[in-house]
C-alpha cells in the first residue's frame, strides 16, 4: 500500500497555519486559574475539601419542589422564554428588590437575568468598560474581577482593605479590615470608569457599614463613576450585622449595578441563575452584550427561582423565611469551624457575612518557613499544598485574591468555606484532632 507523506516545505499553507498565534491577546496573563490547580490537587488526596464555596447540603424543600414543578408542569418551559429573563422571574425580582432598594423597578428595563452572578459580572464589564478605562478594585477581591477588567481592555487599580491591630489573644474580626479614605480618594482619576464593590466580601467576610458605603458613594458621584456592586451573599450576614445595598443610598441608583445570585440565595449554586438590577441607561448596554453572547438562560431554572422568590416574599422577615433561617444555621457552622481551627493554632478572622472565613497562619510561617515550593511562591500557597498532602484538609491561599504586587504582603492567610453539612464539619474535626495529637510532645 502506498503511503502519502506531506512535507511542510511542500505545503506552505500548512506551515503558515500552524505557526499562527492561536490565543487571543486578551487572554495573555489570565490563563492560570487557582481553582483548577487546587481543585485538582484536592481530588488527588483523601481530604475534607473546604476550599471551593458551595453548600454540600440540599436547597430548601420549596425550591426543590419549584424545580420539579418547572420540569413536570408546563411543557413550554422546555422552550425559549424572553431573552432578558422569564417574565414571572423579572417581575418578582422587580417587586422584591424594589422594596429593598426604595425604587420603582421596571421588570423590562431594570432587570436582566444572567447565567449566574458570574455571567452578570462578565456582561457588565463587557458592556461598560472600554479600552484604557480604569476600574477600582477593593482587595482582597473575588478573583474574576481583575481578568474580566483586562479582557474588556480596562486597567485595574487596586485599593487595599487593611486590618487593624488586635489585642493579644483576641480574635481578629472582618470589621477591623477597613479602607483608608485618603488612599481610596487618591485612586479616582479622570480615567476611572467603575468601582467594584463586594459586600459581604469574599474572602474576608466583611460587611461594609453605612458610613463606608457613603464614602464610596460620595466619591463615585464626585468623579462620575459607575459602581458595580456584587451582593451575592446579602442574606448571609451574622451577629446582627445589616447588609445595605449601595444602590439604596441617595443618588446611587442612577449609577449602580446591583448583582445577585439565586445559587447563593437558595443554596443551589449549580442552578446558575443570577441577575443585574439597575437604571435603563446602564442596563440597555448589558442587554446588548447579553443578546449577542448567550442570548438566553435556561427557562426551567428561571421558573424555579421565580417560584422560590414568591415563597420568600410571602414569608419575608418572619421566622419561616429561608432568608432568616439560613444565616442562623450558617452562623452555627461558622462558630463550629472557628473553634475547631483554633485547636491547631490557626487564627480565624471572624467574618460578618458570606460563605468564608480566613485564618492567619503567621505562627506556621515563623515555625515552618521552608515548606517545599518555588522560592518566589507565596507562603500561603505552599502551606495549602502542605496541608492537603499532610493534614487532609483543603483550603484556598488568600494571596490569589490580591494583585501581584501585594501577594507577598498577605501570604499569611488561608480561606476556608464553612457553609458545609454537619457531617463535613465532623470529618474536619477528625482531621484536626489528628493534627492536634501530632502537635503534642
Amino acid at each position: 500500500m502506498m503511503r502519502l507523506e506531506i512535507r511542510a516545505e511542500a505545503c506552505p499553507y500548512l506551515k503558515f497555519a500552524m505557526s499562527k498565534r492561536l490565543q487571543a491577546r486578551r487572554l495573555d496573563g489570565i490563563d492560570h486559574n487557582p481553582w483548577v490547580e487546587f481543585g485538582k490537587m484536592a481530588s488527588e488526596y483523601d481530604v475534607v475539601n473546604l476550599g471551593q464555596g458551595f453548600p454540600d447540603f440540599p436547597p430548601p424543600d420549596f425550591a426543590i419542589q419549584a424545580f420539579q414543578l418547572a420540569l413536570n408542569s408546563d411543557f413550554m418551559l422546555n422552550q425559549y422564554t424572553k431573552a432578558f429573563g422569564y417574565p414571572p422571574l423579572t417581575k418578582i425580582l422587580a417587586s422584591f428588590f424594589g422594596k429593598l432598594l426604595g425604587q420603582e423597578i421596571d421588570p423590562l428595563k431594570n432587570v436582566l437575568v444572567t447565567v449566574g452572578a458570574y455571567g452578570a459580572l462578565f456582561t457588565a464589564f463587557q458592556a461598560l468598560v472600554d479600552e484604557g478605562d480604569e476600574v477600582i478594585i477593593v482587595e482582597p477581591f473575588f478573583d474574576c474581577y481583575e481578568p474580566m477588567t483586562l479582557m474588556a481592555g480596562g486597567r485595574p487599580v487596586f485599593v487595599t482593605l487593611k486590618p487593624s491591630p488586635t489585642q493579644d489573644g483576641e480574635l481578629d474580626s472582618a470589621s477591623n479590615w477597613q479602607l483608608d479614605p485618603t488612599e481610596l480618594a487618591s485612586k479616582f482619576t479622570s480615567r476611572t470608569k467603575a468601582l467594584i464593590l463586594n459586600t459581604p466580601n469574599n474572602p474576608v467576610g466583611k460587611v461594609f457599614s453605612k458610613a463606608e458605603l457613603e464614602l464610596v458613594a460620595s466619591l463615585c458621584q464626585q468623579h462620575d463613576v459607575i459602581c458595580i456592586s456584587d451582593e451575592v451573599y446579602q442574606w448571609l450576614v451574622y451577629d446582627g450585622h445589616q447588609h445595605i445595598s449601595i444602590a439604596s443610598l441617595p443618588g446611587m441608583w442612577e449609577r449602580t449595578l446591583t448583582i445577585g445570585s439565586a445559587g447563593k440565595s437558595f443554596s443551589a449554586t449549580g442552578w446558575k441563575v443570577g441577575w443585574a438590577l439597575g437604571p435603563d441607561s446602564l442596563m440597555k448596554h448589558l442587554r446588548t452584550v447579553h443578546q449577542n453572547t448567550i442570548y438566553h438562560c435556561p427557562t426551567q431554572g428561571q421558573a424555579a427561582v421565580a417560584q422560590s422568590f414568591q415563597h420568600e416574599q410571602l414569608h419575608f422577615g418572619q421566622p419561616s423565611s429561608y432568608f432568616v433561617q439560613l444565616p442562623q444555621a450558617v452562623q452555627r457552622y461558622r462558630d463550629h469551624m472557628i473553634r475547631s481551627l483554633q485547636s491547631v493554632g490557626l487564627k480565624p478572622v471572624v467574618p460578618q457575612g458570606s460563605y468564608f472565613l480566613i485564618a492567619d497562619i503567621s505562627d506556621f510561617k515563623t515555625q515552618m518557613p521552608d515548606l517545599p515550593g518555588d522560592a518566589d511562591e507565596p507562603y500561603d500557597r505552599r502551606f495549602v499544598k502542605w496541608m492537603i498532602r499532610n493534614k487532609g484538609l483543603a483550603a484556598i491561599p488568600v494571596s490569589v485574591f490580591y494583585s501581584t504586587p501585594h501577594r507577598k504582603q498577605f501570604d499569611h492567610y488561608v480561606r476556608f468555606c464553612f457553609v458545609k453539612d454537619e457531617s463535613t464539619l465532623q470529618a474536619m474535626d477528625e482531621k484536626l484532632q489528628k493534627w492536634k495529637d501530632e502537635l503534642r510532645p
Side-chain angles (χ1 to χ4, degrees):
M1 181 182 292
M2 187 170 71
R3 186 173 66 184
L4 180 64
E5 293 186 0
I6 300 176
R7 290 160 50 201
E9 59 268 25
C11 187
Y13 295 107
L14 177 64
K15 187 174 182 180
F16 177 75
M18 291 178 69
S19 65
K20 273 187 176 178
R21 175 190 172 97
L22 299 178
Q23 178 178 316
R25 295 188 191 281
R26 72 179 67 90
L27 302 184
D28 287 352
I30 66 169
D31 50 347
H32 177 76
N33 188 297
W35 308 108
V36 175
E37 177 187 0
F38 288 98
K40 180 176 182 295
M41 189 172 180
S43 69
E44 293 170 353
Y45 292 84
D46 176 25
V47 300
V48 178
N49 192 344
L50 305 171
Q52 191 174 0
F54 62 88
D56 61 356
F57 50 80
D61 290 344
F62 66 82
I64 293 174
Q65 290 163 7
F67 211 118
Q68 290 169 337
L69 185 65
L71 289 171
N72 298 319
S73 58
D74 184 355
F75 70 88
M76 286 304 293
L77 292 178
N78 292 290
Q79 309 306 328
Y80 295 131
T81 185
K82 288 199 171 182
F84 306 130
Y86 176 60
L89 178 55
T90 57
K91 185 177 178 182
I92 189 68
L93 289 173
S95 168
F96 196 94
F97 287 97
K99 293 182 179 71
L100 295 176
L101 297 177
Q103 291 292 328
E104 285 290 330
I105 295 182
D106 185 325
L108 297 178
K109 292 182 177 180
N110 304 133
V111 182
L112 175 66
V113 178
T114 58
V115 180
Y118 217 90
L121 287 164
F122 182 79
T123 303
F125 281 100
Q126 289 295 312
L128 303 173
V129 177
D130 213 348
E131 196 75 32
D133 285 344
E134 293 180 352
V135 177
I136 296 173
I137 300 175
V138 178
E139 61 180 353
F141 55 88
F142 183 47
D143 68 302
C144 75
Y145 300 160
E146 182 179 14
M148 285 185 183
T149 299
L150 295 170
M151 288 178 74
R155 188 173 83 83
V157 175
F158 300 99
V159 59
T160 308
L161 289 169
K162 296 184 173 66
S164 305
T166 58
Q167 300 292 327
D168 286 345
E170 182 182 85
L171 281 180
D172 194 4
S173 166
S175 61
N176 293 332
W177 291 57
Q178 298 184 345
L179 291 169
D180 179 287
T182 304
E183 182 185 6
L184 177 61
S186 74
K187 302 298 181 178
F188 286 80
T189 73
S190 60
R191 296 180 297 278
T192 307
K193 182 66 174 291
L195 176 144
I196 313 303
L197 179 70
N198 178 207
T199 182
N201 168 275
N202 172 14
V204 174
K206 176 182 174 62
V207 175
F208 282 77
S209 68
K210 186 175 182 183
E212 290 171 315
L213 295 176
E214 286 172 341
L215 170 65
V216 172
S218 131
L219 289 166
C220 286
Q221 292 176 55
Q222 179 183 335
H223 295 275
D224 194 22
V225 166
I226 297 162
C227 181
I228 301 174
S229 189
D230 179 351
E231 302 182 15
V232 298
Y233 300 107
Q234 73 177 100
W235 309 115
L236 290 156
V237 177
Y238 317 119
D239 301 320
H241 292 288
Q242 183 184 8
H243 168 80
I244 299 170
S245 292
I246 196 169
S248 69
L249 300 184
M252 284 306 289
W253 166 258
E254 295 78 9
R255 62 178 65 253
T256 302
L257 286 176
T258 303
I259 289 172
S261 160
K264 301 302 192 298
S265 298
F266 298 109
S267 304
T269 57
W271 289 12
K272 293 298 290 181
V273 177
W275 55 84
L277 311 172
D280 188 49
S281 58
L282 298 178
M283 296 299 295
K284 64 184 180 182
H285 304 302
L286 273 71
R287 292 195 294 269
T288 299
V289 173
H290 183 89
Q291 177 74 38
N292 290 287
T293 50
I294 64 159
Y295 166 60
H296 181 280
C297 302
T299 308
Q300 290 161 329
Q302 294 187 66
V305 174
Q307 284 287 328
S308 298
F309 265 109
Q310 286 163 12
H311 175 279
E312 277 303 294
Q313 194 166 54
L314 290 173
H315 296 265
F316 191 71
Q318 301 173 28
S320 55
S321 165
Y322 188 66
F323 295 162
V324 171
Q325 294 171 355
L326 179 62
Q328 290 174 348
V330 170
Q331 182 171 323
R332 292 194 295 271
Y333 303 154
R334 179 202 68 171
D335 294 346
H336 179 149
M337 181 175 282
I338 287 171
R339 289 190 300 270
S340 296
L341 294 178
Q342 286 180 280
S343 70
V344 295
L346 293 160
K347 296 177 180 176
V349 176
V350 180
Q352 300 167 289
S354 87
Y355 275 8
F356 307 105
L357 63 80
I358 65 173
D360 189 330
I361 56 169
S362 297
D363 289 349
F364 293 91
K365 192 175 181 182
T366 301
Q367 296 161 13
M368 306 186 302
D370 300 320
L371 290 177
D374 297 333
D376 60 347
E377 187 175 23
Y379 182 81
D380 58 345
R381 293 175 66 94
R382 288 183 281 145
F383 182 85
V384 166
K385 292 175 184 177
W386 170 83
M387 193 167 63
I388 289 172
R389 292 188 188 107
N390 297 282
K391 304 302 178 185
L393 289 172
I396 296 293
V398 169
S399 62
V400 305
F401 302 103
Y402 281 88
S403 58
T404 302
H406 295 153
R407 284 178 184 165
K408 285 292 184 76
Q409 297 173 38
F410 291 90
D411 72 346
H412 54 286
Y413 296 97
V414 295
R415 191 197 78 172
F416 295 92
C417 175
F418 53 82
V419 185
K420 298 298 180 184
D421 185 77
E422 290 183 5
S423 62
T424 304
L425 296 176
Q426 288 168 6
M428 171 196 72
D429 288 343
E430 291 171 8
K431 299 286 188 182
L432 288 169
Q433 183 61 50
K434 186 177 178 184
W435 186 349
K436 186 178 177 181
D437 292 342
E438 292 168 354
L439 292 172
R440 289 177 181 148

